[in-house]
Amino acid sequence: MAVASEKMTDSINVTFPDGSVHKTSKGTTVGEALANSGVSGDVIAALVNGKPVDLAYRLEADAAIAPVTFDMPAGKEVYRHSSSHIMAQAVKELFPTAKLTIGPAIEEGFYYDFAYERPFTPEDLQKIEIRIQEIISADRPFVRMEMSRSHAMEFFKERGEDYKCEMIEGFADETISAYDQGGLVDLCRGPHVPSTGHIHAIKLLTSAGAYWRGDERNPMLQRIYGTSFPTKKALDAYLHTLEEIKKRDHRKVGKELELISMTDEVGPGLILWLPKGSTIRLQIENFWREQHVKHGYELVYSPHVARLDLWKTSGHTEFYRENMFAPMQVEATEYQLKPMNCPFHIMIYKSRLRSYRDLPQRYAELGTVYRYERSGVLHGLMRVRGFTQDDAHLFCRPEQIEAEVAKVLDFTFFVLKTFGFTEYQVYVSTRPAKAVGSEEAWGQATAALEAALHSRGIPYSIDPGEGVFYGPKIDIKIKDVLGRSWQCSTVQVDFNNPERFGLEYTGEDGHAHQPIMIHRALMGSMERFFGILVEHYAGAFPTWLAPVQALIISITDKHKDYADALARRLGDAGFRVEADLRSEKMGFKVREAERAKIPYMLVVGDREVENGEVSIRRHGGINAGSQKIETFVDLLTREVEQRDLHPSIGGEPVLKGEVPNRSSKAEG
């Protein structure tokens, strides 16, 4: 009997994703349990009761386990974190004086920071890649080690790894984990792939400087970026995408097309909009204003500075100070460049008494704000210090939140679709650790956001703890033509500022009540959204946005008068038109127009002059044939007025910038 009892206690139940339960022995590895259950495919790690573990992890009690493969987010993290360790080993073997710091997986790849006396060169990266392949070919197992804090400190101190010792000092746990891969032992919580041979396709991309712990007061480290995939085909496809990203880089395209300028003389993170870029921006702003009026918003304006006390009342000096410029002294009073527009819209609401009949109030403003971003994070139009928000604030009764948020969602998707974005990822961000307001208020606001999404049938994911300090929010990430996600639109519920500023409305009962405030941006900022548009369309904007919509090209000097008259006629019709009347070869003129990415080239010669026609070429080399001027004007008018992304003047309809025609869907 004693023997039978002992056998029973050696047996544990393992539950698999399909709901099946298998018995296995204590001490069985997760990898063995998965293999015994018939799981196939390239499994690189596992989840045990939801926690990522190595396949070598031994089961000691009943557990639910699930395989982890590369096509899962957890799998990509394991795969690429293991890749960073392989790269670190290669660096240490080639550059023994380099000290290890951190090497995480990031979106689409990984990096590792090293304390080394000089930057790594392209030639260094080539040598490191060769050594990486040798380590992969050796197929060395990743072996988990656990040691006490004191042992770990001594272990890494003996190896001269000062940064690892500093990290250990900050750990709360008494047991420290590390991984031995046969040539390198690195501090790490894991998990990892079973062995170095599980990494099949890896590429080092670039090197750059980075401060230890991201603080410019700390030493400068040398960072190497890389990426890895299970197959060379997948890696090659990604590298092709990177080349396309380089070609579409808004800084490069913006300079070539004379859209924007950034200079040190003006200051980092401060953008100069050139005439052509300003023309595009004007079209965006006109559309924005027109649609806001149609959707029941009132347009307002606010100053660029205000007394510092206003930002104290709003809580920005308490919760947002590190992102604000220093105050300025004016007549013994401190003033602050505005980091946000919200307090001004609040003061507009407070400008008179409000009744429940007045609500909701919707104020919208293209308001320019200023935020102190560290120089190391500035990036073209995507991260700047001065930018214009397409901002709006709604003041409503608590029972109106769900309906107002639903309307905002409809408006958001309409605007994004107009600019050619039809794929989204939607997130509901919940209460962060540093927050104001009661748990009950947060719960009610979060429930209202989720109800609005449900009412529109929009799938979403929960982003725990990522709400702003004053309330939960919905974030919408758009996908561009290259499949990259961009955070643009946001809807935030705020019950904090109405209380801080003492906002009220008179209810049906005749008593004072506090309204709810909703912060909302559709495009995020004009600068960032414009940068996304430049890269999405590779500078070949839809005709309604293009700074020059048509270029008239005269074949010879004798056609100049006809071309010039045609330019005036189209200009009078409201189109943005230029004429190239230079005594150059037509092929040269066409090539220049192609480089300028002008949607239409109207070539005029003897036949066109005689018949009152134009010969139409679309950007991209599409010859659309000849048409009567009146016919072209009608078609172009319709294309511009409808903000058409699929021009139909000659040839098959295409989306500018070689953007595929994607169906509208929301992804959660």
Side-chain angles (χ1 to χ4, degrees), residues 498-544:
E499 181 178 346
R500 282 177 172 268
F501 282 91
L503 301 189
E504 293 181 347
Y505 67 90
T506 303
E508 290 184 82
D509 57 5
H511 296 297
H513 298 267
Q514 184 175 293
I516 299 295
M517 183 177 181
I518 298 174
H519 305 246
R520 182 244 68 182
L522 306 182
M523 297 180 287
S525 81
M526 294 298 295
E527 283 73 11
R528 191 161 184 269
F529 192 72
F530 183 71
I532 295 168
L533 281 176
V534 170
E535 297 192 3
H536 184 61
Y537 289 108
F541 293 99
T543 307
W544 75 276

Side-chain angles (χ1 to χ4, degrees), residues 229-300:
F229 289 85
T231 66
K232 186 176 185 302
K233 182 179 179 181
L235 175 61
D236 289 344
Y238 176 71
L239 295 178
H240 175 74
T241 299
L242 287 186
E243 287 303 312
E244 189 65 25
I245 289 172
K246 288 180 184 177
K247 287 194 295 184
R248 292 169 177 261
D249 189 312
H250 69 277
R251 295 165 297 181
K252 174 178 175 288
V253 175
K255 183 176 182 180
E256 291 172 350
L257 299 184
E258 299 181 351
L259 304 176
I260 56 168
S261 176
M262 294 167 279
T263 67
D264 287 337
E265 290 91 341
V266 173
L270 301 172
I271 308 301
L272 296 176
W273 291 76
L274 305 182
K276 288 182 179 178
S278 298
T279 297
I280 300 172
R281 175 169 172 161
L282 180 62
Q283 308 316 308
I284 298 172
E285 290 184 351
N286 287 345
F287 167 73
W288 187 92
R289 292 188 178 95
E290 167 197 306
Q291 293 301 321
H292 275 75
V293 172
K294 284 185 178 180
H295 283 76
Y297 288 77
E298 296 176 287
L299 304 184
V300 298

Side-chain angles (χ1 to χ4, degrees), residues 6 18 79 162 165 190 312 323 343 380 392 415 427 431 437 447 485 491 540:
E6 187 176 330
D18 63 0
Y79 196 90
D162 305 333
C165 293
K312 291 179 180 177
N323 294 105
V415 168
Y427 299 87
R431 182 185 175 99
S485 292
V491 189

Side-chain angles (χ1 to χ4, degrees), residues 377-494:
V377 301
L378 297 174
H379 178 71
L381 290 166
M382 305 306 189
R383 196 79 177 261
V384 294
R385 287 175 172 166
F387 58 94
T388 301
Q389 285 184 308
D390 74 310
D391 216 354
H393 295 92
L394 292 71
F395 300 87
C396 63
R397 306 194 300 271
E399 64 271 19
Q400 294 174 321
I401 296 177
E402 181 183 333
E404 285 302 302
V405 170
K407 289 177 183 176
V408 169
L409 292 172
D410 292 342
F411 193 10
T412 300
F413 293 128
F414 162 72
V415 168
L416 295 176
K417 186 177 180 181
T418 300
F419 289 100
F421 301 108
T422 56
E423 291 191 54
Y424 320 104
Q425 293 171 311
V426 181
Y427 299 87
V428 173
S429 300
T430 58
R431 182 185 175 99
K434 192 176 181 181
V436 297
S438 68
E439 293 276 3
E440 181 184 6
W442 273 85
Q444 290 174 347
T446 304
L449 293 180
E450 293 190 72
L453 289 166
H454 284 301
S455 73
R456 293 303 188 262
I458 300 170
Y460 64 91
S461 300
I462 298 294
D463 204 355
E466 291 302 315
V468 285
F469 69 87
Y470 49 71
K473 62 175 179 171
I474 295 172
D475 284 329
I476 299 171
K477 294 183 179 181
I478 59 175
K479 284 192 175 182
D480 68 9
V481 65
L482 298 178
R484 296 174 297 173
S485 292
W486 299 96
Q487 171 63 58
C488 290
S489 312
T490 187
V491 189
Q492 304 170 358
V493 176
D494 184 354

